[in-house]
Amino acid sequence: MGELILDRLILRFGRRTVVEDFSLKVADGELVSILGPSGVGKTSILKAVAGLLQPAGGKILLDGRPLIGTAPEKRPAVMVFQKPLLFPFLNVEQNIAFGLRMRRLADSKIRRDIASIMELTRLTGLGRRRIHELSGGQQQRVSLARALVVKPAVLLLDEPLSNLDADLRQQMRDLIHKIQARTRITTLFVTHDQAEALAISHRVALLLEGRLRQVGSPRELFHRPADPEVARFFGGTNFLEGRFEKGALHTQVGVFPLPGFNGNGHRLTATIRPEDIVIRERGPYDLEGRVVRTRFEGMATRVWVQSGNTLLVVLTPDSRLTPGQRVRMHLPPEKIHVFPPPPDERRA
Amino acid sequence: MVMVALPFVPLLLWAFSDRWFFPALAPQSWGLRAWIYLFRTAPDQILVVTLQSLWVAAATACIAVAVGLPAGRALGIYVFKGKDLLSIVLMLPVVVPSLCVAMGLHLWFIRLGLAESFLGVVLIHLTFCVPYSVFVMWGVFSNYNVEFEDQARSLGATGVQTVVRVMIPMTLPGIVVAGLFSFLLSWTQYLTTLIIGGGKIITLPILLFALMASGDRPVAAAVSLLFVLPAFFTLFFSARYLGRKGLVGVW
Ligand SMILES: Nc1ncnc2c1ncn2[C@@H]1O[C@H](COP(=O)(O)OP(=O)(O)OP(=O)(O)O)[C@@H](O)[C@H]1O
Ligand SMILES: [Mg+2]
């Protein structure tokens, strides 16, 4: 079992508060990502769970049992650091055996456990290698194996992919995904890469400026961000502000029907993702504008379109658009996401 | 290696000669008289003095490392007030000649009953071995990643296990350097041992000076060879074991 609850956690360094009121519930067997830009306190949260950092306030519960006050070596939560941190004076096998040796387990059991974990992490045959004879990806896998072999109730992964190049990253991500699915080990996965978080997690917790901004499934965060900042973090750049009247959002650039939405007279902010705006030559359209800038990105081209006083970003497969050109755009109503209005600004 | 061995040629010549008078370039007659004297005539004295030297140097080295390790760790890892001041204080025994320190402390040592004692000699050697060891370990811990210890704790190591199984192995080359060189510093002391030991604590260098003064060159040369043995061992060891590992920040 491994149900982890973080309850109003506060983390401070000296007088500086790094994480404020962080609450998160991770179900047994779940993989939850903590996503956020550099320096928001992601590593600090993992260290608090691992027992390596004393929280200034709040509770950490594992299966209902409080963890704060328990020494790190007694906690059933093991942390894998951003750097592999393999002990240079031990070989691969001895590194993986470290946690088991500290627990003074029998040699025969240690040998068996190591063999099976090395197979799971695709390290079979490398047991006798010295650490400096391993590639970066292999080192990261040894580091993961060393944590998994002690069978923790909670696995804490701190950006385990950030030191790898793109190709290896993908492989390692799939490996972690597979191992997590097979072992059903409760996992907190820290990353600053939104694509990584979306691809690997059951749920994502977005941390901005030391505060938890939104928790939900990858689809929820991507398609239904709680506020403009969350949307921005996931690459959303198009914001439409206006007043809702008679089933449509009236903005300075145009009128957009919003079926299924009610609440006349509300001032609203809505967003539409760059890839959801359709540039078309024929057929009905919602907006007209002039191409300001284009950037070819391989699979798609990013196009900045000025329409009235609003600059829209469109991601389109059409790579032939050039600056100065006039284009017509269709904004599918079902792709327009309206942010829930903040409680104090309901009626303007 | 040849370069290092060169100064020892005359020493070897002397040690294996029976007669060698000016202005001959080589001894007129060869022989093992010096060695026979060493191992037959006066083995007890030589053994006692060698052991005395070994104990003094070993005790000094052990204490120097035991103090240097935690102190170097604190200096290398943590930021605290008064760190600059501390480094100047540590420099003092290196700048001030040990002779002055020994003279200065002699009176106190007499009052405290430490003069002419084993402990007193070790203490006076520590006045320069401890700063040396602290400096070496400071350098080692400046390039040391404490996260290794966090990782060990998280994997299930207790505090003690972390020190024994992670911190010491990680810093072993530095510990060896600090220990060996403290040993050598103490092993080669003459004046400070003489002042504090007051002729009661006789180490190899003191015996050597006595032999030189008595004019028996071959015997003095033989004792000298015995005397440089640890230095040779240290040199050999550092070259073979430490040289390869590239001790950044130690030298
Ligand atoms: N030991 C420390 N002493 C003082 N401040 C610290 C310490 N460790 C971290 N901090 C500060 O706390 C904040 C959060 O650090 P943390 O390492 O948790 O961020 P992070 O989200 O993991 O960042 P990154 O993505 O760069 O790893 C940072 O601003 C950092 O400067
Ligand atoms: Mg971090």
Side-chain angles (χ1 to χ4, degrees), chain A residues 294-306:
Chain A
T294 66
R295 189 170 74 204
F296 180 63
E297 291 178 357
M299 300 232 267
T301 302
R302 195 171 294 268
V303 182
W304 283 260
V305 182
Q306 188 77 45

Side-chain angles (χ1 to χ4, degrees), chain A residues 13 16 18 36-45 82 158-159 192:
Chain A
F13 288 108
R16 204 162 69 84
V18 173
S38 185
V40 284
K42 306 182 296 293
T43 300
S44 306
I45 292 172
Q82 195 163 352
D158 189 7
E159 310 207 28
H192 63 259

Side-chain angles (χ1 to χ4, degrees), chain B residues 178-196:
Chain B
L180 276 180
F181 281 73
S182 295
F183 182 94
L184 277 186
L185 274 177
S186 166
W187 179 260
T188 54
Q189 277 306 301
Y190 172 70
L191 276 176
T192 54
T193 315
L194 190 67
I195 293 168
I196 301 296

Side-chain angles (χ1 to χ4, degrees), chain A residues 8-153:
Chain A
R8 280 168 294 152
L9 206 59
I10 300 170
L11 303 177
R12 289 206 188 100
F13 288 108
R15 249 170 287 131
R16 204 162 69 84
T17 302
V18 173
V19 172
E20 185 99 64
D21 265 343
F22 183 84
S23 297
L24 182 67
K25 188 173 161 180
V26 186
D28 181 42
E30 196 179 24
L31 192 160
V32 174
S33 287
I34 298 179
L35 175 65
S38 185
V40 284
K42 306 182 296 293
T43 300
S44 306
I45 292 172
L46 290 196
K47 282 190 173 175
V49 178
L52 302 168
L53 181 67
Q54 191 65 31
K59 276 185 272 186
I60 302 174
L61 305 171
L62 184 67
D63 294 328
R65 242 171 0 97
L67 280 188
I68 292 174
T70 308
E73 67 269 21
K74 303 242 162 56
R75 298 193 185 194
V78 172
M79 180 158 172
V80 175
F81 286 72
Q82 195 163 352
K83 289 194 205 135
L85 296 178
L86 302 179
F87 303 120
F89 48 88
L90 301 178
N91 67 19
V92 168
E93 241 167 40
Q94 293 163 332
N95 260 285
I96 299 175
F98 185 86
L100 304 175
R101 290 247 174 271
M102 294 303 114
R103 288 168 175 76
R104 303 213 161 83
L105 299 182
D107 279 357
S108 57
K109 172 156 174 55
I110 291 180
R111 262 196 306 278
R112 246 180 297 125
D113 285 2
I114 288 180
S116 80
I117 213 73
M118 283 181 69
E119 197 188 326
L120 189 66
T121 48
R122 301 204 203 111
L123 288 166
T124 309
L126 299 180
R128 295 291 150 94
R129 288 268 187 102
R130 312 280 326 167
I131 295 316
H132 60 85
E133 296 167 346
L134 297 179
S135 73
Q138 286 166 340
Q139 291 193 9
Q140 209 76 44
R141 295 213 297 280
V142 174
S143 169
L144 182 65
R146 183 174 60 174
L148 284 170
V149 79
V150 304
K151 302 208 164 57

Side-chain angles (χ1 to χ4, degrees), chain A residues 25 69 71 95-96 128 150 155 160 162 186 207 215 229 240 267-268 317-318 321 326 329-330 341:
Chain A
K25 188 173 161 180
N95 260 285
I96 299 175
R128 295 291 150 94
V150 304
L155 184 63
S162 65
T186 307
L207 197 62
V215 195
E229 278 170 64
L240 305 164
R267 281 208 65 83
L268 293 177
D318 184 355
L321 293 167
R326 291 202 73 80
M329 292 168 288
H330 170 55

